[in-house]
């Protein structure tokens, strides 16, 4: 699942391209008070928790509202990645894979070892696909063509554009490919976003628990009896095996 870590790194870099997006006349940007209210809706028990006061910052000399937009986008994006990684870890830890070539010839004792075992060309395909998604998400032309703005300029955090602007037709969009939420009410969408953020937070904790337990057996209470596959490699060096930049 180290490829999930790649997405996090790429997303942080790609988000710096927000300067190319022109602000719109009518935008709605959340301030710190709005963030505190959302935190209470997300978890009434914990409420607003920001010990590092990130929500009070002004990243890259921009406004506080733009910074909050960046933080909200980052949390939603990382939560989505973690949810995919959590499910992926379970699938690969149980040896589930496609029964045809080249997947049927790749064997590994753990999800991390599986990443090490796939060919270098496959790693590049994953990384370049992730890079394209980041480019598409941050592109001001694509966003404006759908009536949206950048998340640091009043756009919706977590919004991912359709692929309608691609010259080659694509059968499905990355977000809501089957259109289940297309006609949902604003209230239902808002409730769904809260659930997504909470699930993403839990998935981040769960995925890191899996990785920790596989590296140091017995380090995570409750997982010792689950038989998480052990991994002897370096989870902090996901490109150490069979991967070269040049």
């Amino acid at each position: 699942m180290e490829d999930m870590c790649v997405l996090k790194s790429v997303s942080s870099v790609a988000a710096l391209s927000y300067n190319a997006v022109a602000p719109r006349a009518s935008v709605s940007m959340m301030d710190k008070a709005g963030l505190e209210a959302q935190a209470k809706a997300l978890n009434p028990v914990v409420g607003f928790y920001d010990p590092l006061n990130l929500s009070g910052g002004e990243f890259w000399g921009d406004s506080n509202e733009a910074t909050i937009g960046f933080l909200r986008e980052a949390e939603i994006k990382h939560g989505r990645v973690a949810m995919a990684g959590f499910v992926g870890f379970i699938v690969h830890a149980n040896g589930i894979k496609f029964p045809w070539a080249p997947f049927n010839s790749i064997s590994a004792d753990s999800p991390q070892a599986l990443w090490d075992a796939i060919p270098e060309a496959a790693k590049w395909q994953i990384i370049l696909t992730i890079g394209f998604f980041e480019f598409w998400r941050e592109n001001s032309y694509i966003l404006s063509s759908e009536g949206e703005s950048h998340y640091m300029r009043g756009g919706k955090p977590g919004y991912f554009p359709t692929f309608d602007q691609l010259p080659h037709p694509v059968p499905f969009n990355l977000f809501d490919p089957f259109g289940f939420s297309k006609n949902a009410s604003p209230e239902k969408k808002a409730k769904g976003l809260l659930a997504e953020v909470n699930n993403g937070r839990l998935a981040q904790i769960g995925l890191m628990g899996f990785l920790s337990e596989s590296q140091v057996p017995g380090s995570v209470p409750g997982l010792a009896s689950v038989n998480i596959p052990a991994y002897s490699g370096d989870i902090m060096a996901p490109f150490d095996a069979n991967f070269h930049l040049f």
Side-chain angles (χ1 to χ4, degrees):
M1 289 298 100
E2 283 80 1
D3 52 315
M4 297 302 170
C5 299
V6 178
L7 178 52
K8 293 186 177 183
S9 301
V10 176
S11 63
S12 299
V13 174
L16 299 180
S17 64
Y18 70 91
N19 286 324
V21 182
R24 296 203 169 189
S26 59
V27 296
S28 177
M29 300 183 70
M30 182 178 288
D31 56 13
K32 189 172 182 179
L35 195 64
E36 292 174 352
Q38 186 188 59
K40 195 68 175 177
L42 283 165
N43 191 321
V45 177
V46 177
F48 183 71
Y49 183 73
D50 182 19
L52 298 180
N53 193 32
L54 295 177
S55 61
E58 296 180 349
F59 293 178
W60 307 291
D62 214 317
S63 67
N64 177 247
E65 289 80 6
T67 299
I68 290 175
F70 171 83
L71 294 172
R72 292 182 65 203
E73 169 77 12
E75 178 175 35
I76 294 171
K77 184 181 296 184
H78 288 78
R80 289 171 177 171
V81 172
M83 286 188 281
F86 184 86
V87 174
F89 193 102
I90 294 174
V91 169
H92 294 310
N94 286 278
I96 302 173
K97 58 185 177 181
F98 294 120
W100 55 80
F103 309 102
N104 58 353
S105 63
I106 299 176
S107 61
D109 297 328
S110 67
Q112 301 95 311
L114 182 63
W115 165 265
D116 293 338
I118 64 175
E120 185 173 339
K123 292 184 173 72
W124 274 114
Q125 289 177 15
I126 294 171
I127 293 172
L128 292 176
T129 300
I130 291 170
F132 168 76
F133 288 156
E134 288 300 316
F135 160 78
W136 200 252
R137 171 65 180 104
E138 302 287 332
N139 191 290
S140 59
Y141 171 78
I142 300 301
L143 290 170
S144 62
S145 69
E146 300 188 2
E148 291 291 335
S149 299
H150 193 272
Y151 48 82
M152 293 184 74
R153 294 293 179 266
K156 300 175 185 176
Y159 178 81
F160 194 90
T162 67
F163 294 130
D164 294 345
Q165 297 298 320
L166 284 176
H168 189 282
V170 178
F172 299 106
N173 291 310
L174 185 63
F175 178 77
D176 194 21
F178 302 107
F180 292 146
S181 63
K182 183 178 181 180
N183 298 318
S185 66
E187 294 76 15
K188 185 176 181 180
K189 290 181 179 179
K191 184 178 180 180
L193 179 59
L194 294 179
E196 181 183 29
V197 172
N198 277 329
N199 291 336
R201 291 174 176 177
L202 185 60
Q204 290 177 72
I205 296 173
L207 180 57
M208 293 308 298
F210 283 163
L211 294 174
S212 299
E213 179 65 25
S214 66
Q215 191 75 30
V216 184
S219 62
V220 181
L223 290 183
S225 60
V226 182
N227 297 322
I228 301 295
Y231 177 63
S232 59
D234 189 350
I235 59 173
M236 300 305 293
F239 306 130
D240 185 52
N242 188 30
F243 187 86
H244 307 86
L245 291 177
F246 303 103

